[in-house]
Amino acid sequence: MPAIDDYAARFSEEPGYLNFPSFGPLGEAALGEQRAQSELMARARFGSMPSMEAEEERVDAAVASLIGFRPDQVVFQPSTSQALMHAMFGVTGGVAASPDEFPSIGYGMARAAEALGVLVPHTITPDHERVTPAVVRDQMASSVVAVAVSLVDYRTGHLIDLEGIRQVIGDRLLIVDAIQGLGVVEAPWEVCDVIVAGGQKWLRAGYGTGFLALSDRAREQLTPVWSGWNAIDDPMADGPVHEIVAPHPTARAFRVGYADPVAQARLAGAVEEVVSVGVGVIRDRVLERASAIIAAADEVGLPVGSPRDDAERAGIVVIDPPAEQLSILTAALHNHGVSTTVRGGRVRLGPHASTTDETIELLRTALAEYQAGTRI
């Protein structure tokens, strides 16, 4: 059995599930880790504590192997949003971002600006809903010290040109929200200074899983404002709190307290499985399934708003029905048990490597019902 088929067989989501941009149902890798860690916690066998504590180093190493960073440049976080907060609160100077980015970026910038007064938000206006290198180059103020972008636009599915943006921003920090592509996109991670992501979507590790990865330059420039007691080498050393030594020189400076070892194990297991199969192999299957969705939409004349070129897309397919037909389409999808996200007049779908032919056929049946409904 090919590696991709073996990988896909380890998941068991119900037919009709096409909502991976929102949540990726867990497979055996994550579920097995969860069961094992829960057993340790329930029985508290002698020696189990060191085993649970070891999950931190394991998950850092797993993520590092996925993005090509060193393990000491990675720190576990419970969500993308929290990782972004760490990054934004650490910036001094202007940060440029599109107002159409997922709200986690905008709220991180706003909260940091309000609380500390050292981050200055700058707005980049997209060109036809796309943040391109030219857009960034032409609209970036001289006071900008960092640019924040999403690897994949959550609304349109467009894959950003990270290398092009790196070229136009020079030595400014490049902050990347990678959640909508990590695990299904072979990105040039080496051009990024800050990478944040959660594991609940394409990595299929469940909620409460995420990370913050920092280049050496980012670690030097970002201030670990939100840094807890276990973010230093010897947190139990005697002495007044106000005389505590500086945070750890690595990404570990951005820890706050103990992380959930169950969540760490789920993320580590899921990432290790992706690395063993290969992101490129998984990507090929996801794009093949996405093409099947686009073909189904074309069959009934529904406009597709997401890219068709493999070089410009990840796993998101966006359908833009006429406004007066949106309710007919969503009802048809509901009637046939096809899980999607409907937002802003658009229907967003996303397959994974485990998406079956049965799921594609359910979608076709739903779209045929939609087509019939528009003719009445």
Side-chain angles (χ1 to χ4, degrees):
M1 178 183 291
I4 188 62
D5 291 334
D6 182 58
Y7 171 76
R10 293 172 60 78
F11 299 93
S12 57
E13 69 268 17
E14 292 290 320
Y17 192 83
L18 289 172
N19 205 17
F20 285 92
S22 291
F23 176 75
L26 278 63
E28 277 305 309
L31 289 172
E33 296 290 347
Q34 180 167 291
R35 286 191 290 266
Q37 290 297 319
S38 296
E39 180 72 10
L40 283 177
M41 288 185 170
R43 295 186 176 276
R45 293 189 181 97
F46 178 78
S48 60
M49 282 295 292
S51 175
M52 290 188 289
E53 292 170 353
E55 291 303 326
E56 179 143 28
E57 291 189 7
R58 178 190 172 200
V59 72
D60 291 350
V63 171
S65 69
L66 179 62
I67 62 174
F69 277 42
R70 301 190 312 269
D72 67 292
Q73 294 177 306
V74 177
V75 62
F76 181 83
Q77 298 287 311
S79 67
T80 311
S81 297
Q82 181 160 308
L84 277 168
M85 283 289 187
H86 272 299
M88 296 306 179
F89 270 70
V91 175
T92 298
V95 178
S98 163
D100 294 336
E101 297 287 358
F102 191 78
S104 291
I105 289 179
Y107 275 102
M109 293 168 61
R111 297 294 181 250
E114 292 167 0
L116 303 178
V118 295
L119 182 151
V120 181
H122 288 258
T123 297
I124 292 176
T125 302
D127 179 15
H128 296 91
E129 299 188 291
R130 298 195 66 179
V131 176
T132 65
V135 164
V136 175
R137 180 197 62 213
D138 295 342
Q139 299 184 38
M140 186 173 53
S142 59
S143 58
V144 167
V145 301
V147 175
V149 297
S150 294
L151 175 64
V152 178
D153 190 307
Y154 78 103
R155 301 159 307 127
T156 67
H158 280 102
L159 179 62
I160 201 164
D161 180 1
L162 287 179
E163 291 178 310
I165 290 177
R166 166 49 71 196
Q167 290 177 6
V168 301
I169 70 172
D171 61 359
R172 296 173 175 88
L173 295 181
L174 179 54
I175 301 172
V176 180
D177 177 348
I179 192 170
Q180 285 294 3
L182 192 70
V184 293
V185 172
E186 294 179 295
W189 303 116
E190 68 278 3
V191 307
C192 306
D193 292 296
V194 179
I195 304 172
V196 300
Q200 77 272 23
K201 299 181 186 289
W202 302 96
L203 289 175
R204 310 183 71 161
Y207 288 108
T209 61
F211 69 88
L212 167 67
L214 304 173
S215 69
D216 290 338
R217 197 160 60 92
R219 176 61 190 90
E220 291 174 1
Q221 295 186 27
L222 296 183
T223 303
V225 174
W226 197 18
S227 183
W229 66 273
N230 61 354
I232 63 176
D233 279 328
D234 188 5
M236 306 304 293
D238 294 334
V241 171
H242 65 276
E243 294 179 0
I244 289 177
V245 297
H248 204 275
T250 70
R252 190 157 292 190
F254 294 85
R255 295 201 311 175
V256 177
Y258 280 127
D260 178 2
V262 180
Q264 289 178 321
R266 278 193 275 111
L267 180 58
V271 170
E272 288 164 356
E273 187 170 50
V274 167
V275 171
S276 70
V277 176
V279 173
V281 174
I282 295 173
R283 174 172 172 75
D284 288 345
R285 176 63 63 85
V286 170
L287 291 179
E288 184 270 326
R289 298 281 81 184
S291 294
I293 292 173
I294 292 173
D298 289 343
E299 289 170 6
V300 296
L302 274 169
V304 174
S306 49
R308 293 171 180 265
D309 185 341
D310 285 356
E312 297 181 344
R313 61 177 172 152
I316 294 176
V317 177
V318 176
I319 294 176
D320 290 320
E324 69 277 8
Q325 296 177 6
L326 178 62
S327 60
I328 300 174
L329 176 58
T330 55
L333 293 168
H334 175 81
N335 290 343
H336 293 277
V338 179
S339 298
T340 66
T341 291
V342 180
R343 184 186 290 123
R346 291 168 160 164
V347 178
R348 187 183 69 180
L349 306 94
H352 209 289
S354 58
T355 298
T356 61
D357 291 341
E358 182 180 1
T359 291
I360 301 300
E361 286 306 312
L362 282 172
L363 174 64
R364 285 199 176 96
T365 302
L367 294 184
E369 179 179 307
Y370 151 80
Q371 187 179 46
T374 61
R375 293 171 175 170
I376 295 176

